[in-house]
Amino acid sequence: MLTRKQLELLDFIKTRTERDGVPPSFDEMKDALDLRSKSGIHRLITALEERGFIRRLAHRARALEIIKLPEAMERPGFSPKVIQGDKVDPPRGAMPVDAVYAFELPVMGRIAAGVPIEAISEVSHHVAVPGSMLSGKGNHYALEVKGDSMIEAGINDGDIVVIREQNTAENGDIVVALVEDSEATLKRFRRRGAMIALEAANPAYETRVYADHLVKVQGRLVGLIRSY
């Protein structure tokens, strides 16, 4: 299933390729989708490629090839549109329903929910998350959880956690903590005077306590995508 932006980009590439004989440039794609930078187009292109809809061709300018289309786009005359209609009043007592938008976030590899592992900085792939999961302004990214030290907080091995980038935390927050500038871990944050305690949510793991200058908060947990 494609997000709204992915579908819009695929349709734009298809339309321009049929019209001009070559795919549009990244600048043209950025302007067409009203994005602020080409990095957003790169993420959308990567997502479409991972899902098998397009292919990047080496050593060619504007090297994009459409491999397949969603079933709806294969119908003649298809173009994304908003369907206008008469407004229907909701049933009495019904809760309001807002539009749901999905955003592509980079998955920055794995994060240990157990003994800290090496710090993570490489993007492994992207994942679509609902906009309602993103907490306020600021940058967000995702991590795949490795380990079971946070299972009593509902975070299991293989889950994807959504992280808001920030360098501060309140007691009780679940954070990505960088320990001694070399190891990253997902734990509950507690300040104890000049010390920082990183608490597991599994009695099988002990709480680790460090001098505060050895722990840097990299972000706070704001969402979870369950892996079954």
Side-chain angles (χ1 to χ4, degrees):
M1 182 175 180
L2 297 182
T3 67
R4 178 174 57 88
K5 283 294 186 184
Q6 290 166 4
L7 187 60
E8 287 178 3
L9 179 59
L10 186 60
D11 183 61
F12 180 67
I13 293 172
K14 174 179 177 290
T15 301
R16 289 295 298 272
T17 301
E18 290 175 348
R19 190 192 76 180
D20 301 337
V22 294
S25 68
F26 275 50
D27 282 321
E28 290 170 332
M29 295 182 216
K30 175 178 70 70
D31 293 341
L33 271 67
D34 196 25
L35 298 180
R36 293 183 178 180
S37 69
K38 288 188 286 188
S39 62
I41 294 297
H42 281 283
R43 288 194 294 270
L44 292 172
I45 290 290
T46 298
L48 289 171
E49 186 175 32
E50 289 175 347
R51 289 160 175 76
F53 289 97
I54 65 174
R55 176 170 57 200
R56 281 185 264 208
L57 306 176
H59 312 302
R60 287 178 55 185
R62 302 189 181 190
L64 294 176
E65 178 184 23
I66 295 178
I67 299 174
K68 66 177 183 179
L69 296 171
E71 182 178 349
M73 287 182 64
E74 291 177 344
R75 296 197 300 266
F78 169 86
S79 62
K81 62 184 67 177
V82 176
I83 300 176
Q84 303 292 341
D86 293 334
K87 181 178 178 181
V88 179
D89 292 332
R92 181 177 299 177
M95 296 294 291
V97 178
D98 296 326
V100 176
Y101 297 100
F103 293 84
E104 289 281 329
L105 291 185
V107 179
M108 307 293 289
R110 287 185 165 189
I111 183 73
V115 178
I117 57 175
E118 288 188 10
I120 299 164
S121 61
E122 295 293 329
V123 176
S124 61
H125 59 286
H126 289 77
V127 64
V129 302
S132 59
M133 189 177 288
L134 305 186
S135 174
K137 297 181 179 179
N139 295 324
H140 294 74
Y141 59 92
L143 294 164
E144 181 182 352
V145 175
K146 179 178 174 63
D148 61 356
S149 75
M150 299 302 290
I151 56 173
E152 292 189 1
I155 303 171
N156 299 329
D157 183 62
D159 286 350
I160 299 292
V161 289
V162 178
I163 305 297
R164 182 185 187 274
E165 287 186 11
Q166 59 185 69
N167 56 18
T168 60
E170 301 290 335
N171 282 340
D173 286 346
I174 296 176
V175 303
V176 173
L178 185 65
V179 179
E180 298 182 13
D181 289 323
S182 62
E183 296 177 319
T185 189
L186 185 73
K187 291 291 184 291
R188 197 175 296 279
F189 177 93
R190 302 282 183 190
R191 179 174 290 279
R192 301 177 180 175
M195 309 296 287
I196 300 295
L198 299 178
E199 299 178 352
N202 182 338
Y205 293 83
E206 65 180 10
T207 296
R208 295 177 176 268
V209 182
Y210 302 89
D212 61 359
H213 70 277
L214 296 179
V215 177
K216 295 178 181 177
V217 174
Q218 303 287 285
R220 179 173 64 86
L221 176 74
V222 296
L224 176 72
I225 302 173
R226 172 54 33 81
S227 175
Y228 291 99

